[in-house]
Amino acid sequence: TVLDRSEPALALGRELAGACTVDLAPPAAEWSVRSLTGADGAAPDGRHGGSGTGTGGGEELPAADLVTVSYVLGELPEREQTAVVGAAARAGRAVVVTEPGTPEGYARVIAARDLLVAAGLRVLAPCPHSAPCPMVPGEDWCHFAARVSRSSLHRQVKGGSLPYEDEKFSYVAAAYPEVAGGPAAGRIVRRPQKRKGQVLLELCTAENGLRPATVTKRHGADYRAARDVKWGDVWPPEV
């Protein structure tokens, strides 16, 4: 189910999904014009009843296994950002919020993370814990990168010459305890630095917050794994 309060945006989404060579949207997807904030109260089936601010002027979002809120919060006033996250927490068994990987986008993700934790969800990623983020606002921000192919039209519109760009993003994934798995031991929060005979990692961990880790040849299998890890991966690797 795809929701947006703008019909032109939905029409563009349907067109892009229909033309995409990768199956990003199932053929039976329902595209609906509506507010994303819902109303105060529990989800229709009463499963969660997590906290959040609604508008009081519309029906709740439909109950779902997963609710994604992608590049939406930055388009809304702060009050509506709170309402959207609250509605998502009431509707979904799991919620993923994604914003641009800028300090401002990270701040919105952290605010959403706080709301999700207050609603009773457990953080799954990128954090290996639900405690406060150890990064100091104004000094650093948690973000990752995904390489995106550029078409010739894309390059022309953006004035770029490369056939790709690295899209920076910040995100949080959280779920209610009954569906959440165990947290990762740590997450790689910077691009790994590969040197001769060693790999330097910057980790966010549940026990020690942010910490560096050096993996060398003497670590055997861990070193071989570290040569292949990417920014954003779990560390140590999950078996």
Side-chain angles (χ1 to χ4, degrees), residues 154-172:
H154 193 175
R155 292 196 298 273
Q156 182 181 355
V157 169
K158 301 198 76 171
S161 58
L162 295 175
Y164 65 87
E165 66 177 284
D166 291 324
E167 173 69 13
K168 305 296 195 306
F169 64 95
S170 294
Y171 79 102
V172 62

Side-chain angles (χ1 to χ4, degrees), residues 36 69-78 80-85 97-100 105 108-109 111-113 115:
L36 303 178
V69 184
S70 299
Y71 285 56
V72 169
L73 299 183
E75 305 294 326
L76 303 174
E78 186 173 342
E80 290 191 28
Q81 294 175 28
T82 300
V84 168
V85 176
V97 177
T98 309
E99 284 289 300
R108 290 190 291 269
V109 167
R113 182 185 186 275
L115 291 170

Side-chain angles (χ1 to χ4, degrees), residues 1-167:
T1 302
V2 185
L3 306 178
D4 198 288
R5 61 187 180 188
S6 167
E7 173 55 43
L10 286 173
L12 177 60
R14 284 192 295 265
E15 181 180 348
L16 292 173
C20 189
T21 56
V22 180
D23 187 16
L24 296 178
E30 178 184 339
W31 302 73
S32 300
V33 177
R34 62 161 295 165
S35 167
L36 303 178
T37 54
D40 292 317
D45 60 359
R47 284 184 294 108
H48 302 319
S51 64
T53 303
T55 62
E59 297 178 356
E60 284 286 350
L61 299 181
D65 290 330
L66 171 66
V67 177
T68 63
V69 184
S70 299
Y71 285 56
V72 169
L73 299 183
E75 305 294 326
L76 303 174
E78 186 173 342
R79 180 178 179 275
E80 290 191 28
Q81 294 175 28
T82 300
V84 168
V85 176
R90 292 191 298 275
R93 301 176 73 197
V95 179
V96 177
V97 177
T98 309
E99 284 289 300
T102 62
E104 295 78 14
Y106 162 73
R108 290 190 291 269
V109 167
I110 286 298
R113 182 185 186 275
D114 290 343
L115 291 170
L116 294 173
V117 170
L121 286 79
R122 180 185 302 164
V123 177
L124 304 179
C127 324
H129 55 80
S130 296
C133 176
M135 292 190 178
V136 179
E139 296 181 7
D140 203 354
W141 70 98
C142 187
H143 65 291
F144 304 91
R147 181 152 291 185
V148 180
S149 296
R150 283 174 170 170
S151 65
S152 58
L153 177 59
H154 193 175
R155 292 196 298 273
Q156 182 181 355
V157 169
K158 301 198 76 171
S161 58
L162 295 175
Y164 65 87
E165 66 177 284
D166 291 324
E167 173 69 13

